[in-house]
Amino acid sequence: AIGMALPIGDQETVISGATQQKLGAKLGFVDRNALAESEASLDGVRQVARTSTMLVFDAPAIMRLDKKNKNVTQRHAILVSPTTGKLSTLVWIIEPGEEGAPRLTEPLAHLLPENCEEDRQIVVDSSQFNFGIPSKQAFALVALPAGEETPIGEAWRNLAVSQFKEATDVVKLEQALRAAIGWNKEVTAR
């Protein structure tokens, strides 16, 4: 399950556009619009690959890149240790390249810290307002969640943007991710 949460009183509360006022969120106009756009983007989240010890999903996002708000995909890979049950999450950015082929915005992934709680920082592009009404491109995430920068090496650069038409590519990505975070001695499930 996925959703949006924010602190209300002293408790982290899952909200939606329909429930936020009743739950006491008291969001202003800009915050309500940002919530609505964020909720709409959740409909685009898609699982793209998985094994018994890894899940890869894509989440559409609007991010501030090269001083512009751009449509991108944040790819998340969640790995589980089959021996300890520990989870590790890596996230990186994919954007449409030439002729629509996906490409990395930079050869870096972020290895998120345990129990990561993301405080999404957004930038507002005033040029994306018409008569005071924001377009979908008006609000953009400033950055990926803070985490340890992990180079996307040659071993998995193409796999990082794969559409996973071959099952062997999923296994290769998992092996490369485990090596990148120092879990390469773990058994990789299929």
Side-chain angles (χ1 to χ4, degrees):
I2 55 177
M4 304 289 174
L6 58 86
I8 298 176
D10 62 350
Q11 186 173 340
E12 195 75 14
T13 306
V14 176
I15 65 164
S16 69
T19 65
Q20 60 87 17
Q21 187 173 15
K22 182 174 97 177
L23 294 171
K26 299 177 185 169
L27 299 178
F29 174 75
V30 172
D31 292 331
R32 284 193 312 272
N33 279 325
L35 175 61
E37 289 302 319
S38 295
E39 284 181 305
S41 74
L42 292 179
D43 292 337
V45 174
R46 298 285 179 260
Q47 175 182 300
V48 294
R50 105 175 198 199
T51 69
S52 62
T53 54
M54 179 185 73
L55 173 70
V56 179
F57 68 92
D58 286 349
I62 299 172
M63 293 193 70
R64 187 73 170 185
L65 301 169
D66 303 322
K67 299 182 182 178
K68 294 180 184 173
N69 293 359
K70 295 183 178 182
N71 290 311
V72 299
T73 298
Q74 289 185 3
R75 179 158 284 177
H76 300 74
I78 302 170
L79 299 161
V80 62
S81 165
T83 56
T84 67
K86 180 180 175 181
L87 295 175
S88 282
T89 303
L90 291 117
V91 61
W92 59 93
I93 306 169
I94 300 171
E95 67 179 336
E98 294 177 24
E99 299 178 17
R103 69 178 191 89
L104 294 169
T105 58
E106 61 181 350
L108 286 175
H110 288 212
L111 176 61
L112 304 185
E114 285 187 41
N115 303 313
C116 178
E117 290 185 23
E118 182 183 2
D119 183 11
R120 290 188 166 225
Q121 302 296 311
I122 62 169
V123 64
V124 179
D125 184 343
S126 61
S127 72
Q128 294 293 325
F129 282 73
N130 295 313
F131 303 107
I133 299 171
S135 73
K136 288 183 179 186
Q137 296 294 116
F139 306 100
L141 296 171
V142 174
L144 288 174
E148 180 182 328
E149 289 188 348
T150 304
I152 297 176
E154 284 297 319
W156 59 290
R157 192 159 294 155
N158 289 335
L159 296 169
V161 297
S162 177
Q163 299 303 306
F164 301 108
K165 294 183 177 162
E166 301 291 329
T168 55
D169 288 345
V170 178
V171 173
K172 287 177 187 174
L173 176 63
E174 182 173 8
Q175 291 169 341
L177 291 173
R178 287 182 182 283
I181 64 172
W183 283 9
N184 51 343
K185 300 213 185 317
E186 298 250 356
V187 176
T188 301
R190 291 187 170 58

